[in-house]
Each structure stands twice: as structure tokens, then as C-alpha cells.
Amino acid sequence: MLCKCERKAVINLQHGSLCRQHFIHYFEDKVFKTINKYRLIDRNDKLCVATSGGKDSLTVLYLTKKYLKKYKIKENLFALVIDEGIDNYRATTIKDLEEFCEEHEIKLINVSFENEFSYTLDHAQKKLDKKPCNTCGVWRRYLLNKYAKKEDATKVITGHNLDDEAQVIMMNYFKANTKIASHLGPISGIEKFKGFVQRVKPLYFCTEKETRLYTLLKKFKVQYTECPYAREGYRSHIREMLNDFENNYPGTKQGVVNSFLDILPLLKEKAKQNDYTIKTCNNCGEPANKNVCNACKTVEVLNHA
Ligand code: SF4
């Protein structure tokens, strides 16, 4: 397998094989083009990069910094890590992240489920009758938004890649969650709603395989281990299904995301027409669908379990 430049290729993509040098250029160019095309970063933004120490978050953190430098934008960013309290897993990735942030001179803010909610995820999942990923998702989104606001961030940058997005799109199709689906895309969450910081995804068009290779070629110190709960959720079935399709029919995931982007304006329009009011949680003051937000509701249930 040779690259167009006759050097040995490190990856075989649909449009051809690429060597190390050309792949790194292709990958970074794709991320920067995504940021520019969807206007994910403005000159005056204060950026909160959601990190975990895994390959996606280190890549997006590194490339956000590189993007700001390339376009001569003032470096107004910090990394935020949420320690869920998952034994034999998160502590190691956080250690890698701390070293990474020190090396690249990036401020890191560390918050944890235990400090915030008085329960680690390990503890909570033993008491609750629901999948750990559901609790984790609710608490993570809550803390991301809360601490981004606390630091006056105007955007939250996440490391979601094409595989993640294709999985969530299919999950929402299968569950007929068109309202939730309308919040997906390179700019996710509820756009420009008071109380929510907009979330943006520069790795939106990068596959997991490409991101993994990028971190290997850049020699980032990353644990390629999976969260011990990752196999327990609905999502893991969707992931396996999509991986199977991708192996047999390359380009499937890209097709899922591209066709979704075609109909996204219609979904957003439909969501706007519905009466959709955001309330404020009576308990913590954060945005909520009901009188008490999902994060506080979960703590309430745990306290009575
Ligand atoms: Fe949380 Fe589930 Fe992700 Fe683990 S796999 S970090 S429990 S959302």
C-alpha cells in the first residue's frame, strides 16, 4: 500500500492510501475545515474543552489550540474534566490528561460526581435501577454546562467523532426521538438558549479509526482502554451493528451522518414549532424540562433508595 507520494501508507481510505505525513495533514485539514464551515469558533469565544484524557478529547484539545495559533486567535481556552468515579479507569486517564495539559500549558479544571452529587458513578449504579450510562450522561451534561458557565465560557468543545454521531443518530431513529435528534449536528444542544452554553464538535467528520491513528502517529500518551460500563448500554448494540455494516459496506457511517445533516434543518424547524419551554430547576437553578432537573432528580432518588 503506497501513498500518492510513493511513501509507505499508514491508512487506506475510500479516496486512496496515505502516508504518515499526508494523513496528519488530511486529518488536521478536515478538522479545521469543519470549524470554519460551521463557524464553531469565533474570535471572541472563551472555550471550555470537555476532556477525559481519552484519545478523542486529547486530539480535540490539541487541535483547538493549534487552530487558535494558526488563525492568530487569542488563546482563551481551558480544559474541563469530570471525574465520574469509575474504579480502575478514570484515575489513569485523568493522570494522562494532567501531564498533557502541563506539557501544552493549558489550564485544567477538575470536577467530580462525588463532590457535586455525593455519589461516585460506581456507588450510584449499585443503588439505581438504570444503566450507568444514563446516570453518567445526565450528570456529565449538567456539570459541563454548569462549570462552563461558571468560568464564563461561550462554547463547550467536545471530542465527539463521526462514529459517536452516527450511533446517536441511529439511537434516536430507533426510539423515534425526533426532538432530541434536532439538537444533534456539529453544533449541538439548544442553540443560543439562555442558561445553556453551546456545544460544538470539531471532530464531527473524523472517524474513530482516523482519530485513533492520529493519536498514535502524534505519540500522545493515551490509554486505549474502554470504560467498564461501555458494553452495558443500548448504544453498544448500535455501535456493534454500525461497525458490522461499515466492515461490509465501507462508508456506511458517513452516509448515516450525511443523510442526517440533509434533514436536520427540517427537524430543527419542526422542534421550533412545538411548544418547548425551558424551566429553571427549583432545587439548583439550572435549566430543566420540569420543576426539578434530571440531575437533582437522580440525587433525590438515590437519597431515598
Ligand atoms: Fe459514562 Fe457510559 Fe461513557 Fe462510561 S461508557 S464514561 S458510564 S457514558
Side-chain angles (χ1 to χ4, degrees), residues 6 41 44 65 67 88 125 136 141 165 197 241 245 255:
E6 303 285 306
I41 294 176
N44 297 325
K65 196 173 153 96
Y67 176 89
N88 301 318
Q125 70 90 24
C136 187
R141 279 192 297 276
E165 188 75 354
V197 184
M241 179 198 78
F245 263 87

Side-chain angles (χ1 to χ4, degrees), residues 3-213:
C3 177
K4 57 191 173 190
C5 65
E6 303 285 306
R7 276 191 289 246
K8 192 172 162 236
V10 290
I11 191 165
N12 189 19
L13 299 169
Q14 271 191 306
H15 50 80
S17 302
L18 297 175
C19 66
R20 179 186 186 280
Q21 203 179 338
H22 278 111
F23 170 73
I24 289 177
H25 180 264
Y26 152 84
F27 185 87
E28 294 184 351
D29 193 49
K30 181 155 65 167
V31 174
F32 294 172
K33 276 184 177 152
T34 303
I35 296 175
N36 289 336
K37 180 175 176 185
Y38 292 94
R39 298 170 172 239
L40 303 186
I41 294 176
D42 293 325
R43 288 203 162 259
N44 297 325
D45 273 331
K46 178 168 184 183
L47 303 169
C48 165
V49 184
T51 49
S52 64
K55 65 180 186 334
D56 301 307
S57 69
L58 289 193
T59 300
V60 85
L61 183 57
Y62 176 81
L63 287 179
T64 300
K65 196 173 153 96
K66 189 161 182 174
Y67 176 89
L68 298 179
K69 192 169 177 202
K70 178 175 172 168
Y71 288 93
K72 299 187 172 53
I73 299 174
K74 186 172 169 239
E75 198 184 297
N76 200 0
L77 93 161
F78 65 95
L80 175 66
V81 64
I82 296 166
D83 182 353
E84 306 92 343
I86 304 173
D87 256 4
N88 301 318
Y89 175 62
R90 186 54 79 216
T92 326
T93 69
I94 290 179
K95 191 167 166 286
D96 291 343
L97 175 63
E98 284 167 351
E99 283 174 19
F100 189 90
C101 286
E102 202 180 317
E103 184 189 340
H104 295 276
E105 297 177 339
I106 298 169
K107 174 182 162 185
L108 175 66
I109 296 175
N110 192 329
V111 296
S112 75
F113 283 1
E114 190 168 24
N115 283 344
E116 193 76 23
F117 305 114
S118 307
Y119 295 92
T120 63
L121 186 65
D122 284 342
H123 188 187
Q125 70 90 24
K126 284 186 190 123
K127 295 183 83 182
L128 288 173
D129 184 25
K130 61 178 179 178
K131 300 280 184 202
C133 291
N134 295 345
T135 310
C136 187
V138 167
W139 281 354
R140 281 181 65 82
R141 279 192 297 276
Y142 175 93
L143 291 179
L144 256 185
N145 195 56
K146 180 176 170 178
Y147 282 86
K149 273 193 299 183
K150 201 170 170 193
E151 294 293 320
D152 296 320
T154 50
K155 299 260 173 65
V156 170
I157 296 205
T158 71
H160 290 103
N161 59 38
L162 185 103
D163 289 50
D164 298 323
E165 188 75 354
Q167 288 156 20
V168 183
I169 290 168
M170 294 314 292
M171 283 163 72
N172 284 312
Y173 275 145
F174 285 1
K175 293 188 171 192
N177 281 336
T178 48
K179 190 167 102 180
I180 296 178
S182 72
H183 298 157
L184 299 175
I187 299 175
S188 66
I190 299 172
E191 288 172 50
K192 307 228 163 71
F193 187 87
K194 195 170 164 278
F196 284 111
V197 184
Q198 233 175 32
R199 292 197 301 273
V200 299
K201 307 169 189 168
L203 306 186
Y204 195 81
F205 295 104
C206 303
T207 64
E208 187 164 334
K209 185 177 164 191
E210 289 171 347
T211 312
R212 184 186 173 95
L213 179 61

